[in-house]
Amino acid sequence: MPAPGTNIDKYIACAALVPDCPFEATAPTEEELMRMVAAHAAHTHGITEVTPELAAKVRAAIQDHQND
């Protein structure tokens, strides 16, 4: 459990799903991070439909990131 006053953001590295992709993102909520990832996937990888299976893989790759 984080110490009081410590912010925990959500973090993802696209390379966890697409080898050699340098995209990384951090956001205060999983929902905001998912929007960022969806925009990146569409723009960079041409993925215009996020299937439930893909969303599950992305969520599994999300990590907590301590923001001091």
Side-chain angles (χ1 to χ4, degrees):
M1 173 144 298
T6 301
N7 294 323
I8 301 295
D9 287 335
K10 299 297 180 182
Y11 165 83
I12 193 165
C14 191
L17 300 163
V18 180
D20 299 323
C21 182
F23 177 80
E24 297 179 349
T26 304
T29 66
E30 184 174 297
E31 293 77 21
E32 187 174 338
L33 187 59
M34 289 294 286
R35 285 192 295 274
M36 294 168 71
V37 169
H40 164 72
H43 181 263
T44 304
H45 301 295
I47 298 170
T48 58
E49 179 184 349
V50 179
T51 64
E53 294 81 11
L54 180 56
K57 288 180 182 180
V58 171
R59 283 192 172 88
I62 293 174
Q63 301 175 9
D64 286 339
H65 183 265
Q66 186 168 335
N67 181 8
D68 295 323

